[in-house]
Amino acid sequence: MDEKKRIQELVEVLNQASKAYYAEDREIMSNLEYDALYDELQALEQKTGMIMANSPTVNVGYAAVDELPKEQHESAMLSLDKTKDREVLRSFMGSNKTLLSWKMDGLTIVLTYRNGSLEKAVTRGSGLVGEVVTNNARVFENLPLKIPYQGELILRGEAVITYSDFEKINEKIEDVEARYKNPRNLCSGSVRQLNNKITAERHVQFFAFALVKAEGVDFENSRECQMKWLASQGFACVEYRAVTGQTLDEAMEYFATAIQTNDFPSDGLVALYDDIAYGESLGTTAKFPRNAFAFKWADETRETHLLEIEWSPSRTGLINPVAIFEPVELEGTTVSRASVHNISIMKELELGIGDEILVYKANMIIPQIAENRTRSSNLVIPDTCPVCGGKAEILSENGVETLHCMNPDCPAKTIKAFSLFVSRDALNMDGISENTLEKFIDKGLVRDFADLFRLDQHRETILAMEGFKDKSYENILASIEKSRETTPERLLYALGIPGIGVTTAKIICKAAHGDLEKISGMDEEELGMIDGIGPVLASGFVAWWKMDKNRQIFDRLMEVLTVVRKEVDENTLILKDKVFVITGSVHHFANRNELKAKIEELGGKVTGSVSAKTTYLINNDVTSSSSKNKKARELGIPILSEEDFLKLVEA
């Protein structure tokens, strides 16, 4: 049997068994059988030098970073010239052997392997400079962390999230407006997370589509040979067909049929000359390489008539226009509505009730209005919110007009505030969804945050509500009780003060040693002295605490919460006012996040990039010529190994 295929089979079977045993309290195989398969997998990994990121033999550590550092690509990543005309594509191919493959719709990533291990992952970014996402790439589901090849390998590929995983993730989000719009947006956000634990939960997959560098390997001047070699190293490669202009039609029919049932997003095809030397000899234009061409599917459009505009309020007060039209068949499904996005687009289309419009699915997924043929422009923009009846106003930002509800007490905004309060980084009331909160608010059981901690007084009312039984009720109470003891940082973030995110809440609490009474009484001058707090943020923060309503919310919460703050001995803050940057791998700590926590525990601060404010750069490869090391040397900043750091803090 193919060893790579067997490795993938074993990984899948063993992961299913682990999930069943640990998460679902059931066994699908005996311990003896599991151990035998595990041993087989381990032996195959040692034999082939191939270890997949989701292999049960690997414990991938989760790590968080403050920011994603930027890095310049060794060679610029140009866009491709494109066409929707098959004959233009045929002309490009001529008699040249060409690889025709999916143009996958995700996030392009450049990977670097050295000595058989994944060393670096960088997003395409601008094509010249991308963001370093190495931590996140390590948890891509199907990416090998170790490969047989020991030289330097650089390759490009697409990170994607399948339609089925996209739908599963969206199904867990009960608030329809908070759901992700398409797999590409979800993938982009997942790959660029600061915490790779979130990336791992999103089931991101990677498909290689180009080899950039692999010294010492003879590819027989063939792109197809490169693809086969990448597959032999353990990479999932984008599906392709080898064709010429004469054999193009059969391949095009295959792709046109397959896209209707594919589980991964694709917005077209890519044609690449197989002959490496010939393709590279053609050079590039100012914008495009001459050895490749993109084919975009011609959008299927349908004529229909606009029936109405539905005004859909969001949880932030934004009121979105949604076009409702006579149902039409598009790309195999019936559609009857499309988001118009904002007032500016609605005005640009000059929409009116009864207008003859042309609709399509962007990338064969998202219904959109392509054209308005009648352009009657007879729509009336409402001046009241459809939820609360309060005043609605058109606001303009960067030339884009949007409609907003101006009522601060609008129920739509209330739900958003409660959702933030119970979220993971705030009070962390696991299992309480927006849908559940809406039911409690509609019944009058919850009017402010503190009421959540008194739900035990409404047992009979809740059990009489649809969807609640003894078990679900007890689970909610247990989650609330668990959250009753919290930290100053969590509570400050949970209050929903404008501009106060998780990181800012930590910064303010650290400066005030977790004293919430002191924090609530800070003036703009005191806040301005905290590094990272600007005048606009400080002004809004002080204004929030001056409102009686907000003070009452806080006071009522303090009656039901136990806020535990960590007492700090100033004598232990030996790194106070010192700023560190950490780069490279670590050995004495489990991961860089653990080292960061140690620095912060001792009063220091960790940032993501070297600047004049940096006190020390920590890099075990002190003599490397990395960009951060170079920057540190230019600025005269000491570069410490972990051993140097430990000597510093133990001295």
Side-chain angles (χ1 to χ4, degrees):
M1 174 183 281
D2 180 88
E3 290 174 335
K4 174 192 169 185
K5 187 176 180 182
R6 181 57 177 164
I7 286 174
Q8 292 172 330
E9 287 177 354
L10 289 168
V11 167
E12 184 177 355
V13 169
L14 290 169
N15 284 342
Q16 286 176 352
S18 294
K19 181 183 177 184
Y21 184 81
Y22 290 107
E24 300 168 2
D25 197 26
R26 62 190 181 92
E27 292 186 35
I28 61 175
M29 66 173 64
S30 67
N31 287 343
L32 187 66
E33 185 180 0
Y34 182 93
D35 290 344
L37 294 177
Y38 186 94
D39 290 344
E40 182 187 352
L41 173 62
Q42 206 165 38
L44 277 172
E45 288 176 340
Q46 290 173 354
K47 179 182 177 183
T48 63
M50 189 187 302
I51 303 178
M52 307 306 293
N54 60 341
S55 171
T57 66
V58 177
N59 291 316
V60 178
Y62 294 130
V65 294
D66 289 324
E67 62 180 26
L68 296 175
K70 304 277 196 304
E71 183 169 303
Q72 187 167 337
H73 295 297
E74 286 192 15
S75 57
M77 299 182 66
L78 301 177
S79 300
L80 297 181
D81 199 359
K82 55 184 176 287
T83 182
K84 292 184 178 182
D85 187 335
R86 184 182 297 191
E87 295 312 311
V88 171
L89 193 64
R90 193 191 311 277
S91 176
F92 164 78
M93 293 176 178
S95 59
N96 296 300
K97 178 182 176 182
T98 305
L99 303 189
L100 189 64
S101 63
W102 295 112
K103 185 175 182 295
M104 304 188 90
D105 195 19
L107 191 68
T108 300
I109 306 288
V110 183
L111 301 178
T112 301
Y113 286 75
R114 290 192 180 97
N115 301 317
S117 296
L118 174 64
E119 182 174 280
K120 186 170 56 180
V122 184
T123 66
R124 180 186 186 278
S126 66
L128 297 174
V129 177
E131 292 176 310
V132 179
V133 291
T134 312
N135 279 343
N136 299 339
R138 292 186 191 281
V139 296
F140 289 175
E141 278 204 340
N142 64 337
L143 187 71
L145 297 181
K146 291 188 177 296
I147 59 174
Y149 178 67
Q150 295 298 298
E152 183 182 44
L153 167 64
I154 302 175
L155 70 150
R156 296 171 180 169
E158 199 82 354
V160 299
I161 290 178
T162 63
Y163 287 122
S164 52
D165 282 327
F166 169 73
E167 289 165 3
K168 288 174 185 174
I169 291 167
N170 261 350
E171 282 172 4
K172 295 177 182 177
I173 304 173
E174 295 197 17
D175 179 6
V176 174
E177 291 162 1
R179 290 177 179 172
Y180 298 96
K181 304 302 180 189
N182 55 60
R184 188 192 186 285
N185 288 355
L186 173 59
C187 182
S188 178
S190 301
V191 173
R192 299 174 66 251
Q193 286 289 329
L194 297 181
N195 188 334
N196 70 343
K197 187 175 188 297
I198 299 172
T199 309
E201 293 167 351
R202 302 282 176 79
H203 304 289
V204 180
Q205 298 189 48
F206 176 86
F207 291 88
F209 61 66
L211 189 150
V212 179
K213 180 181 180 182
E215 294 176 348
V217 182
D218 180 9
F219 294 114
E220 301 172 11
N221 194 38
S222 168
R223 295 290 182 189
E224 184 171 21
C225 185
Q226 288 182 337
M227 296 293 281
K228 289 179 178 178
W229 182 82
L230 285 172
S232 75
Q233 296 296 307
F235 295 99
C237 295
V238 63
E239 183 186 15
Y240 66 87
R241 291 283 190 275
V243 298
T244 65
Q246 290 72 37
T247 61
L248 172 63
D249 291 324
E250 184 179 346
M252 289 292 285
E253 293 310 310
Y254 165 76
F255 284 114
T257 302
I259 196 172
Q260 299 174 29
T261 55
N262 276 350
D263 195 28
F264 57 82
S266 167
D267 58 354
L269 303 171
V270 173
L272 174 68
Y273 289 143
D274 180 65
D275 189 317
I276 298 172
Y278 172 67
E280 291 181 348
S281 73
L282 298 174
T284 68
T285 68
K287 293 176 64 178
F288 310 120
R290 290 192 171 96
N291 66 339
F293 221 100
F295 176 83
K296 303 280 283 185
W297 303 109
D299 295 312
E300 182 182 348
T301 59
R302 289 287 184 272
E303 291 180 359
T304 184
H305 291 89
L306 183 66
L307 301 177
E308 64 173 303
I309 290 289
E310 180 183 279
W311 297 94
S312 176
S314 75
R315 307 308 184 189
T316 60
L318 181 68
I319 305 174
N320 298 299
V322 179
I324 310 299
F325 45 81
E326 293 172 348
V328 290
E329 288 290 318
L330 271 178
E331 312 290 357
T333 62
T334 302
V335 295
S336 60
R337 54 194 294 128
S339 173
V340 187
H341 302 295
N342 55 56
I343 302 298
S344 293
I345 292 177
M346 193 181 80
K347 288 181 176 179
E348 184 181 326
L349 287 168
E350 298 181 47
L351 291 175
I353 304 303
D355 281 355
E356 183 181 288
I357 58 176
L358 204 62
V359 295
Y360 73 107
K361 279 188 179 179
N363 292 336
M364 305 178 77
I365 304 167
I366 311 298
Q368 303 277 290
I369 298 176
E371 181 185 341
N372 180 11
R373 290 177 171 169
T374 313
R375 308 185 82 84
S376 67
S377 195
N378 63 19
L379 288 176
V380 177
I381 299 171
D383 55 8
T384 58
C385 171
V387 171
C388 68
K391 185 178 181 182
E393 285 187 8
I394 296 175
L395 304 180
S396 180
E397 184 175 351
N398 297 323
V400 177
E401 291 184 326
T402 51
L403 186 65
H404 292 259
C405 172
M406 307 309 292
N407 175 14
D409 299 317
C410 178
K413 296 180 182 179
T414 301
I415 292 295
K416 182 66 177 177
F418 274 95
S419 294
L420 172 66
F421 186 81
V422 305
S423 66
R424 181 175 57 188
D425 291 323
L427 269 290
N428 194 23
M429 294 184 181
D430 188 40
I432 301 183
S433 65
E434 281 200 1
N435 187 40
T436 299
L437 288 167
E438 283 183 8
K439 290 177 180 178
F440 290 160
I441 292 169
D442 289 345
K443 280 286 185 180
L445 306 181
V446 173
R447 291 184 173 84
D448 70 12
F449 299 145
D451 289 336
L452 286 166
F453 296 91
R454 302 187 179 98
L455 284 173
D456 58 340
Q457 301 172 10
H458 305 288
R459 177 187 174 89
E460 297 306 320
T461 303
I462 293 173
L463 288 177
M465 293 165 59
E466 184 180 352
F468 291 95
K469 294 182 179 179
D470 285 337
K471 183 67 174 176
S472 56
Y473 171 76
E474 294 300 333
N475 286 342
I476 286 173
L477 287 195
S479 179
I480 291 171
E481 194 59 35
K482 186 178 178 181
S483 71
R484 195 181 288 272
E485 182 177 297
T486 190
T487 64
E489 297 87 352
R490 283 181 173 274
L491 178 54
L492 186 59
Y493 170 63
L495 291 172
I497 302 171
I500 306 301
V502 176
T503 302
T504 311
K506 287 180 180 177
I507 291 171
I508 294 173
C509 286
K510 183 179 178 181
H513 305 301
D515 187 338
L516 284 167
E517 283 302 322
K518 180 180 178 180
I519 289 168
S520 65
M522 280 181 161
D523 59 28
E524 292 180 38
E525 185 177 352
E526 289 175 291
L527 286 162
M529 294 173 65
I530 302 173
D531 187 26
I533 307 296
V536 175
L537 195 84
S539 174
F541 187 85
V542 171
W544 190 91
W545 285 105
K546 284 183 177 178
M547 293 180 64
D548 289 340
K549 176 186 173 184
N550 295 334
R551 274 283 181 180
Q552 290 168 12
I553 289 172
F554 175 71
D555 291 341
R556 284 196 287 268
L557 272 173
M558 295 305 288
E559 294 173 4
V560 296
L561 290 175
T562 301
V563 182
V564 180
R565 81 184 202 211
K566 190 176 181 181
E567 295 298 331
V568 178
D569 181 354
E570 288 288 332
N571 294 322
T572 67
L573 302 180
I574 59 176
L575 299 181
K576 186 177 180 181
D577 299 326
K578 291 181 170 58
V579 180
F580 291 78
V581 173
I582 306 168
T583 189
S585 58
V586 293
H587 312 303
H588 293 277
F589 294 84
N591 50 48
R592 290 192 301 199
N593 211 37
E594 187 175 286
L595 174 54
K596 176 188 174 186
K598 181 66 175 177
I599 292 170
E600 291 178 340
E601 179 187 327
L602 297 174
K605 181 180 178 182
V606 178
T607 62
S609 55
V610 177
S611 71
K613 294 182 179 180
T614 305
T615 313
Y616 297 107
L617 170 65
I618 298 178
N619 185 356
N620 279 318
D621 191 354
V622 175
T623 61
S624 84
S625 57
S626 69
S627 58
K628 286 183 179 175
N629 278 30
K630 287 180 182 176
K631 185 75 171 177
R633 292 191 192 100
E634 288 171 7
L635 297 172
I637 295 165
I639 304 173
L640 308 180
S641 66
E642 274 180 282
E643 287 80 5
D644 297 329
F645 169 76
L646 291 170
K647 289 175 185 175
L648 175 71
V649 300
E650 291 168 2

